[in-house]
Amino acid sequence: MRILVVEPECRPELREIDGSLESMQEIVGGLIQPVYPFDDPVALVCNDEGKLMNLPANRGLRDEDGRVCDIVCGTFFLCGVPGDSDYFASLTPEQIKRYEERFHTPEMFWGMNGHIVCLPLEVD
C-alpha cells in the first residue's frame, strides 16, 4: 500500500507498507485513529492518544477559510479509502501530489494571548 507519511518537523515521505494493522501502528506509535477531514476519499491516520501522550504538534488542519481548526500531534499518514469498502488502500498519484503539496512545509505552534499561532518551519 502506497502511503504518505508526515512526521513532525519533516517533509512528507512516500512509503510502501503491507497494510497490516501492525505496520500502521508502527508508523503512528500506537493505536490508530482514522479521520476524514478531506472532501476526497483519503484518510488521515494518526495515533489515537497522540494529544494525551503529549506527542509533538505536527500539522494544522484548516477549515474552508484557511484557519487552523485542529492540530495533529505525532506522526500520521495519509492513505486512500475506497468508497465501497471498509479497508485502506494506496493513494493515487494525484492524491500523492496533492497531499505532498498540502503538507510539504512543516509547522510550529505556540499559544499567544489565548490563540494558537501557527508558523511555517523551514527545513533542509
Side-chain angles (χ1 to χ4, degrees), residues 36 40-44 79-91 95:
Y36 306 94
D40 55 350
V42 170
L44 184 155
C79 61
V81 182
D84 58 348
S85 68
D86 58 353
Y87 63 90
F88 299 135
S90 291
L91 293 169
Q95 290 168 332

Side-chain angles (χ1 to χ4, degrees), residues 22-64:
E22 294 79 19
S23 67
M24 292 185 260
Q25 288 176 327
E26 184 176 330
I27 291 169
V28 302
L31 301 173
I32 64 169
Q33 176 187 19
V35 293
Y36 306 94
F38 313 115
D39 290 334
D40 55 350
V42 170
L44 184 155
V45 182
C46 58
N47 186 311
D48 186 44
E49 299 176 325
K51 291 178 182 171
L52 295 173
M53 295 170 60
N54 290 319
L55 295 179
N58 188 342
R59 299 294 201 283
L61 297 179
R62 289 168 170 73
D63 63 16
E64 305 82 36

Side-chain angles (χ1 to χ4, degrees), residues 15 18 61 85 88 99 106-107 115 117:
R15 290 192 201 164
D18 64 14
L61 297 179
S85 68
F88 299 135
Y99 290 100
E107 297 173 317
H115 293 79
V117 177

Side-chain angles (χ1 to χ4, degrees), residues 54-119:
N54 290 319
L55 295 179
N58 188 342
R59 299 294 201 283
L61 297 179
R62 289 168 170 73
D63 63 16
E64 305 82 36
D65 298 321
R67 291 185 300 253
V68 173
C69 57
D70 198 1
I71 298 171
V72 181
C73 294
T75 299
F76 66 88
F77 67 90
L78 301 153
C79 61
V81 182
D84 58 348
S85 68
D86 58 353
Y87 63 90
F88 299 135
S90 291
L91 293 169
T92 66
E94 295 80 17
Q95 290 168 332
I96 292 167
K97 183 178 185 309
R98 181 179 314 122
Y99 290 100
E100 199 293 327
E101 289 173 1
R102 184 174 192 153
F103 293 109
H104 183 75
T105 303
E107 297 173 317
M108 52 192 258
F109 305 87
W110 71 88
M112 179 182 283
N113 297 329
H115 293 79
I116 295 174
V117 177
C118 171
L119 291 175

